[in-house]
Amino acid sequence: MRDHVEVSPGLRLRRWSPADAGAVLAAFADPVMAWQTGEPVVDLPAARRWLAARAEQWDAGSAFAFAVVDGADAVLGNVAVGAVDRRHRTGWVSYWTTAAARGRGVASGGCRAVAAWAFEDAGLFRLELGHRVNNPASCRVARAAGFAVEGIQRSRLEYDGVRHDVELHARLAGDPVPPPVRPGRAAAG
């Protein structure tokens, strides 16, 4: 399986590296990132544990996380296919971007690229993703990446004692490939 994927000129996916600990720590310093991980990433040891978990999952074939980087290899975000079920050939797509990368098409481009990778390299057939219904930016990313809306999962997630409905999206291997989105058209989730 490839561990590097070209998204567009100046934007690519690559497997996370231990050298990315500082970039991971900086990304998780943004308050909106608090819900993106089970363990808070508040120091370099936590960032290293986050990276080690991504590497372990990749090696086990249970999840595949990519850093989204620019032409200078600066980390702009993360796209991943997790909860891989080989029997049913399904996976769960997730994504986040750094504050500076939001609104530039990084998440939607990365999401389109990771979906193509999941179908071609990982042999998956169905990909799902979900976002809180109060997160329209993430919905724009999902739609721009070709994920069709399938419905609402009521009270699916709980953050700080508050339940949130989640809109479920899915993309199948045979679905049409969505056209690239011009920067500024889709923001990260």
Side-chain angles (χ1 to χ4, degrees):
M1 277 189 259
R2 293 174 295 159
D3 61 5
H4 289 73
V5 178
E6 286 298 315
V7 175
S8 61
L11 192 65
R12 67 186 172 89
L13 309 182
R14 66 161 170 78
R15 191 170 171 181
W16 284 101
S17 159
D20 293 322
V24 168
L25 179 60
F28 280 99
D30 182 350
V32 303
M33 293 291 291
W35 293 346
Q36 295 293 333
T37 187
E39 175 193 356
V41 179
V42 295
D43 55 25
L44 279 174
R48 289 185 190 105
R49 285 191 299 276
W50 187 90
L51 289 165
R54 306 294 79 75
E56 289 170 14
Q57 292 167 344
W58 186 295
D59 293 342
S62 62
F64 303 94
F66 291 90
V68 184
V69 297
D70 65 14
D73 203 42
V75 172
L76 303 175
N78 173 74
V79 292
V81 178
V84 172
D85 181 328
R86 293 286 176 198
R87 169 151 179 9
H88 298 291
R89 296 176 41 211
T90 61
W92 183 266
V93 173
S94 60
Y95 46 88
W96 54 258
T97 58
T98 62
R102 293 188 190 126
R104 297 175 24 200
V106 170
S108 58
C111 196
R112 274 191 315 279
V114 83
W117 176 90
F119 297 141
E120 296 165 15
D121 289 45
L124 300 182
F125 177 78
R126 177 184 168 87
L127 298 174
E128 299 174 345
L129 66 80
H131 60 83
R132 294 180 324 277
V133 295
N134 65 347
N135 188 344
S138 193
C139 188
R140 287 190 298 273
V141 168
R143 287 175 182 241
F147 285 74
V149 174
E150 290 196 333
I152 303 294
Q153 296 173 307
R154 298 175 303 134
S155 297
R156 171 81 166 93
L157 301 175
E158 181 178 357
Y159 296 112
D160 299 327
V162 177
R163 302 295 311 184
H164 296 269
D165 290 350
V166 169
E167 186 169 71
L168 179 65
H169 296 247
R171 184 167 164 197
L172 306 179
D175 286 349
V177 176
V181 174
R182 292 191 316 261
R185 290 291 189 167

